[in-house]
Amino acid sequence: MRVWAGRRFSVLVEGGYEIADAPDAVAIVALDAEDRFVLVRQQRIATGNKLIELPAGLIVDGEAPIQAAQRELREETGLRAGSWRELASFWSSPGLTNERVWLFEATGLEEGEPEPDEGEQLEVIRWTRDEVEARLHELVDASTLVGLLLYLRGAS
């Protein structure tokens, strides 16, 4: 039973449990021509901090996950990928929400201008594989950690 509805998610009560009913999401492990990982730094109000993350976002309007990934990569970084591969999908926090995250690899990148959503302020950064390995402790976003660790540990 839906007990509350907001702009981005609703709250359901099922079997005595409160569940955040949220749209699914995508995250993209994008590698440029120099084999650097493309990341974004953005303010996350819920954490009170700017976080370094994979390009990511919500699946909207009946999009297929790959379509959402292509749109989000373009919006957040300006990049378009020539090659896409699904790496995994996982529940973001199954004790709280029904949100599923679809993780993709994007390569063969073509540069372009970002098209961020209104109010979104993103800084695009690029780290080499060695930088990612050395700076994993700076990353606190679950989708980013899952994506990079899967990629680095052989999902590639």
Side-chain angles (χ1 to χ4, degrees):
M1 171 175 63
R2 188 170 314 278
V3 296
W4 182 84
R7 281 186 325 122
R8 293 181 54 146
F9 69 93
S10 299
V11 176
L12 307 174
V13 175
E14 293 184 15
Y17 291 94
E18 295 170 347
I19 301 166
D21 182 26
D24 288 347
V26 295
I28 304 103
V29 178
L31 290 117
D32 69 12
E34 296 173 30
D35 204 33
R36 296 176 299 175
F37 293 91
V38 179
L39 304 162
V40 295
R41 182 187 329 262
Q42 66 179 316
Q43 181 68 38
R44 291 300 192 182
I45 300 302
T47 68
N49 292 302
K50 286 188 176 185
L51 303 184
I52 298 171
E53 305 174 353
L54 293 174
L58 299 177
I59 298 173
V60 296
D61 300 327
E63 289 176 309
I66 186 66
Q67 293 170 318
Q70 292 166 339
R71 176 183 50 75
E72 286 292 343
L73 184 64
R74 184 180 65 256
E75 287 177 3
E76 293 193 355
T77 68
L79 298 169
R80 295 177 191 270
S83 179
W84 287 90
R85 182 169 67 102
E86 184 179 322
L87 295 175
S89 69
F90 56 92
W91 303 106
S92 64
S93 183
L96 175 68
T97 181
N98 59 7
E99 177 191 56
R100 187 174 192 103
V101 178
W102 300 88
L103 184 62
F104 291 91
E105 173 191 34
T107 57
L109 303 181
E110 294 179 21
E111 301 289 335
E113 288 299 315
E115 304 166 13
D117 290 335
E118 187 176 329
E120 227 176 12
Q121 294 183 349
L122 304 164
E123 174 191 358
V124 176
I125 57 178
R126 298 180 191 217
W127 286 354
T128 64
R129 182 180 300 259
D130 288 342
E131 287 174 305
V132 168
E133 290 277 7
R135 299 176 80 174
L136 278 173
H137 66 280
E138 296 178 37
L139 304 174
V140 295
D141 171 65
S143 295
T144 300
L145 286 166
V146 168
L148 291 175
L149 288 170
L150 278 175
Y151 188 86
L152 291 170
R153 301 301 184 256
S156 60

